[in-house]
Amino acid sequence: MKALIDRPGGLGDVLQAGPAVRAVATRAARVTMLCGPRGASAARLLPHVDEIVVWDPPGEADDADGLVRKLREEAYDVALVLAAGRRGPGPATRLLRSAHVRRIGAAPPPGGRPESEAALGAAAELGFGLRRGDDGRPRVRPVPDTAALTGNGPYVVVHPGAGDPGRAWSAEHGAEAVALLADAGHRVVVTGGPEEAALTRAVAGQAGVDLGGRTDPRAFAGVLRAADALVTGSGGAAGLAAAVGTPVVPPATRDLTRAVRSLPRRR
C-alpha cells in the first residue's frame, strides 16, 4: 500500500503529524509527505517518511496540474489530509481526487484539541493505528551529538526568534533573559536561523554561546536534546523540543526567575 499525507505549515505543524505518520506506516509499505517549503525540513526528521513532495499552494495552475500528474503517476492507494490553522482540508482533498487517489481521509482544524490527537483520529478513521507501546507523542529520527557546537557541560537554550513576529523577543528582552539565566548559574546557548544571526549575536552577548545560523534542523534537534531546557516563544522550536524530550519554559520575563529556579540541573 502506498500512502500520502498532506500537511501544510512550518516546522511545528509538520512535527505534529509525526504520530499519524507512524500510524499509517504500520500498514503502508511506503509513506510520502506532501508539504510546503517551510515544513520540508521537519518532514525529513520524521520516522517512516520515505519521500517528500514539496508544494506551496496556492500556486499557478500549471504547478497544480504538474502536481496532479505526479500524484497520478505514483498511484497512491490512500491519502490523509491534515489541516493547519484555519485552513480546511477542502482544497487538498479536491486536488487529491483529481489525482485519482483511491481513498482520502481528512482531519479538519482541531479547534481546542492537540493537533497530533486530531491527526491520529483521522488516521484511525482510515483504519490506521499506532503500534502497541507507541505513546503517540511527536518523535524525530536519531539526532547527532552536537557537543562540538555547544561545548561540554549542561546548558539552557534560548531561542529568541519565532515565525510569528508577535511571539519573537526583541534583542533587549532576549539579552535580559540570557543575563538572568547566567546569573543563576546556567550556561546559555542561543539559537536561531541564518536570517536571525544579528538577533542571536545581540542576545548572546558575552554571556551566551551564539549558534545563530550554525544549525540545520537536524543539528538544532541535537542541540535541544542535550539541553536542560528551552526558553522560547517559537511554536516550531517548542515542538522540536517536545519531540526530543526537552522541557520548554514560557518566555515571559516576569515568570522567568521562578522558572529558572525550577529548571533541572545536571551534576
Side-chain angles (χ1 to χ4, degrees), residues 6-174:
D6 172 69
R7 179 51 161 154
L11 177 69
D13 298 310
V14 173
L15 289 174
Q16 289 293 326
V21 171
R22 300 200 303 271
V24 170
T26 61
R27 292 179 51 207
R30 186 168 184 81
V31 178
T32 297
M33 178 73 75
L34 176 63
C35 58
R38 294 190 305 116
S41 60
R44 295 185 185 97
L45 294 174
L46 294 179
H48 305 295
V49 171
D50 300 298
E51 182 184 10
I52 299 167
V53 176
V54 178
W55 187 59
D56 190 17
E60 298 295 332
D62 289 344
D63 293 338
D65 291 344
L67 177 64
V68 168
R69 285 194 298 272
K70 175 178 176 58
L71 298 183
R72 283 180 181 173
E73 291 171 0
E74 293 293 335
Y76 291 101
D77 300 289
V78 62
L80 176 60
V81 179
L82 305 177
R86 298 180 180 178
R87 178 187 170 195
T93 299
R94 290 191 291 271
L95 183 144
L96 293 171
R97 285 176 181 155
S98 298
H100 301 163
V101 177
R102 297 175 185 177
R103 295 173 59 218
I104 303 172
R113 296 173 63 192
E115 293 195 16
S116 58
E117 289 184 13
L120 278 173
E125 291 182 4
L126 287 172
F128 300 110
L130 293 169
R131 289 183 173 86
R132 181 175 297 179
D134 190 326
D135 59 11
R137 296 178 182 176
R139 296 180 192 164
V140 294
R141 297 176 187 270
V143 298
D145 184 330
T146 54
L149 289 171
T150 62
N152 295 319
Y155 57 89
V156 173
V157 173
V158 170
H159 188 84
D164 177 358
R167 303 183 70 177
W169 277 356
S170 67
E172 294 77 11
H173 192 166

Side-chain angles (χ1 to χ4, degrees), residues 183-257:
D183 288 346
H186 294 277
R187 198 161 63 89
V188 184
V189 171
V190 182
T191 57
E195 72 284 358
E196 297 167 331
L199 173 62
T200 62
R201 184 167 56 251
V203 169
Q206 298 299 313
V209 177
D210 177 19
L211 294 185
R214 297 178 60 193
T215 57
D216 60 17
R218 187 166 175 265
F220 184 31
V223 169
L224 292 177
R225 182 191 62 175
D228 285 337
L230 167 67
V231 182
T232 190
S234 165
L240 189 54
V244 297
T246 297
V248 178
V249 177
T253 300
R254 63 183 180 182
D255 299 325
L256 194 55
T257 302

